[in-house]
Amino acid sequence: MINTTMVIGTQWGDEGKGKIVDYLSRDADYVVRFQGGNNAGHTINVNGDIYKLHIIPSGVIQGKIGVIGNGCVVDPEVLIEEINALEERGIKPRVLISNRAHVIMPYHRLLDGAAESYLGGKKIGTTKRGIGPCYSDKIARLGIRMSDLLDREQLKQRLDVILPIKQSLLEVYGVKEKLNEKEILDRYIEYGSQLRSFIVDTHIILNQAIKEGRSILFEGAQGVMLDIDFGTYPYTTSSHVISGGGCIGTGVPPGFINRVIGVMKAYTTRVGEGPLLTELKNGIGRYLQEHGNEFGTTTSRPRRCGWLDLVVVKHACILSGLTEIAVTKLDVLTGLDPIKICVRYSIGGKETDVFPPYNVDKYVPIYKEFPGWDELPSKPKDFNDLPREARDYLKFIEDYLGIPINIVSTGPSRRETIVVSR
Ligand code: IMP
């Protein structure tokens, strides 16, 4: 029997996927990242112990095998640091890295920063981790892959071709830094030697494991609105965040994915630039930011906050074929009255519930109001333990999306999680 679950962010990332993945990891043999790199930040709270991971799949904290698929981009320096930091805390992470995953090189980080400065007022607001330039090189066939780090001659041949192009590009952006081939070669071959035992054909291992009925959890990073094709382009990340990206980014065929959980925060947040139609630049926005501790795990930037936008989540449902929803941070809405949900947009006298491809800022959200609630019980175990107003809020979301809400998170710790029984 196939036993696979994929977890996808349905908004702009930071939906609390780390907690849901950590919760589901208990039953998984493998936890797999399939896109993105150390632009992601997952915070996991294990009985008060906080772990912040950027590239290693969070399931390793539970002793699971963490796989970094071919669709990821890997900064080896960050990966080695994360492995060492976990080892210092007594966790020996079991990690497998696809030999086909692309490597974030020093010039990618430089170019990410340079491109943002060049764009000035029109910048994307990237995490400056070199993600976009690394994916650009992959598609331009100018990338370095993990397997290249295992063979000095191969890496040198690649750098001979690539470095002059990157040096010229840096000059175009006015960056004075000189790329030293010998230094880069030595450093990256050293990373390769440290990571050698982890670098394997992950697609073979995963497909075999699925056939053997092992439980596989695919851990999405970012959220559907940051998808390179279906997000708010160009204010997106550079990878395929939707569930299809999970197949491309692991080599696991679509027929092998049987459960896709969309993680949805009970309101909306976004870091970086780009449209956010339900944004609240007022006291309510600040309330959500403070009560939800909405500051980026990766860059510490304050997150922009707003009401839940179901046009966005419906977009995610369609694109990722979600089979169920996990709602997070319901507790953060406690104390607000009324609470609003955006159900449609209007433009030029017409209404739509389809997310537009461009000119997003010209659309106006149409809201439905819900009565708020004063408090949530601490550590509720059952859906019916929630106040009626909170249940009505969740039931409306379920009806709107036509997908069951199977998990509700009411606080950061594992114990503050309701699994809805049906
Ligand atoms: P990049 O992925 O660093 O190129 O950044 C592109 C956009 O995606 C920026 O708006 C970032 O703030 C956003 N972004 C990237 N990773 C995450 C994440 O894990 N959570 C939320 N936003 C992210």
Side-chain angles (χ1 to χ4, degrees):
M1 200 192 78
I2 294 172
N3 189 359
T4 54
T5 303
M6 194 177 281
V7 175
I8 300 284
T10 62
Q11 294 153 314
W12 277 272
D14 307 318
E15 297 92 351
K17 293 180 293 297
K19 172 177 167 177
I20 302 297
V21 167
D22 178 58
Y23 191 80
L24 296 168
S25 301
R26 291 186 302 189
D27 301 324
D29 298 307
Y30 294 81
V31 183
V32 187
R33 282 277 309 266
F34 54 84
Q35 43 77 226
N38 57 311
N39 47 348
H42 289 168
T43 307
I44 303 112
N45 179 332
V46 186
N47 303 330
D49 283 342
I50 309 289
Y51 296 87
K52 291 192 178 195
L53 294 175
H54 297 285
I55 182 66
I56 295 185
S58 43
V60 299
I61 292 169
Q62 310 229 21
K64 310 297 173 172
I65 301 174
V67 178
I68 299 175
N70 53 282
C72 295
V73 288
V74 180
D75 188 325
E77 188 179 339
V78 174
L79 175 60
I80 291 167
E81 264 171 33
E82 278 189 14
I83 293 173
N84 292 343
L86 284 173
E87 283 179 355
E88 274 167 28
R89 294 178 71 176
I91 295 173
K92 191 154 180 52
R94 296 195 288 164
V95 183
L96 302 175
I97 310 158
S98 168
N99 42 26
R100 288 160 168 86
H102 278 251
V103 181
I104 299 176
M105 302 295 289
Y107 45 83
H108 290 139
R109 285 190 298 267
L110 288 171
L111 287 167
D112 201 352
E116 286 284 89
S117 308
Y118 171 81
L119 288 170
K122 292 204 161 57
K123 71 174 192 230
I124 309 295
T126 74
T127 58
K128 299 199 183 154
R129 303 294 191 266
I131 307 294
C134 184
Y135 275 115
S136 307
D137 275 356
K138 166 175 171 168
I139 301 304
R141 289 151 297 184
L142 288 174
I144 304 280
R145 306 201 295 178
M146 290 306 291
S147 53
D148 296 327
L149 305 189
L150 303 179
D151 180 334
R152 191 176 180 93
E153 193 44 40
Q154 160 75 6
L155 182 59
K156 181 170 183 326
Q157 277 178 23
R158 296 294 291 153
L159 290 175
D160 285 348
V161 175
I162 294 164
L163 287 186
I165 302 173
K166 298 297 147 191
Q167 190 68 66
S168 314
L169 196 51
L170 284 170
E171 277 156 27
V172 170
Y173 280 124
V175 177
K176 303 233 165 4
E177 192 134 344
K178 290 280 171 255
L179 301 172
N180 181 325
E181 177 163 354
K182 163 103 179 39
E183 200 188 287
I184 295 176
L185 187 59
D186 286 347
R187 186 141 65 95
Y188 281 74
I189 285 296
E190 170 57 24
Y191 293 147
S193 77
Q194 289 185 41
L195 295 170
R196 179 175 293 273
S197 61
F198 303 121
I199 302 173
V200 289
D201 274 322
T202 49
H203 60 292
I204 300 286
I205 294 171
L206 286 174
N207 276 289
Q208 186 59 33
I210 292 171
K211 284 187 184 145
E212 287 167 4
R214 311 291 289 278
S215 164
I216 318 279
L217 184 62
F218 296 88
E219 173 179 359
Q222 289 89 42
V224 166
M225 297 315 290
L226 290 170
D227 181 272
I228 184 73
D229 281 333
F230 292 103
T232 45
Y233 192 85
Y235 299 99
T236 59
T237 191
S238 302
S239 60
H240 295 288
V241 175
I242 62 173
S243 59
C247 295
I248 294 171
T250 56
V252 170
F256 276 180
I257 310 295
N258 54 7
R259 196 176 166 205
V260 188
I261 303 178
V263 183
M264 187 201 86
K265 202 183 287 197
Y267 49 98
T268 309
T269 62
R270 167 165 213 172
V271 246
E273 312 305 316
L276 180 60
L277 287 181
T278 60
E279 183 165 13
L280 293 162
K281 293 181 180 168
N282 58 15
I284 304 175
R286 283 192 296 281
Y287 183 95
L288 293 171
Q289 196 178 64
E290 279 162 28
H291 285 75
N293 191 23
E294 296 295 354
F295 299 91
T297 314
T298 303
T299 55
S300 304
R301 290 179 289 178
R303 296 176 186 145
R304 299 154 64 194
C305 298
W307 296 120
L308 177 63
D309 184 343
L310 283 182
V311 178
V312 160
V313 182
K314 188 173 165 230
H315 187 61
C317 290
I318 294 168
L319 292 164
S320 284
L322 302 181
T323 57
E324 56 203 277
I325 298 278
V327 176
T328 60
K329 292 193 151 183
L330 185 68
D331 52 306
V332 177
L333 293 178
T334 302
L336 290 175
D337 195 4
I339 299 172
K340 295 187 189 181
I341 295 182
C342 169
V343 289
R344 296 171 82 74
Y345 301 154
S346 84
I347 184 162
K350 291 194 181 136
E351 292 187 8
T352 180
D353 62 359
V354 176
F355 198 87
Y358 71 109
N359 272 347
V360 178
D361 279 330
K362 297 214 161 73
Y363 290 72
V364 180
I366 300 172
Y367 291 105
K368 183 168 166 53
E369 287 191 8
F370 296 79
W373 53 89
D374 291 333
E375 61 178 330
L376 291 182
S378 75
K379 308 191 183 60
K381 289 201 168 46
D382 188 84
F383 186 74
N384 290 320
D385 294 343
L386 295 172
R388 187 178 50 79
E389 294 80 3
R391 282 184 275 139
D392 288 348
Y393 185 76
L394 295 172
K395 279 192 187 130
F396 177 82
I397 296 167
E398 237 179 19
D399 289 345
Y400 183 102
L401 300 173
I403 296 174
I405 293 174
N406 282 353
I407 299 177
V408 180
S409 164
T410 57
S413 80
R414 281 183 191 168
R415 275 171 291 172
E416 292 161 299
T417 313
I418 302 172
V419 177
V420 183
S421 50
R422 288 173 196 281

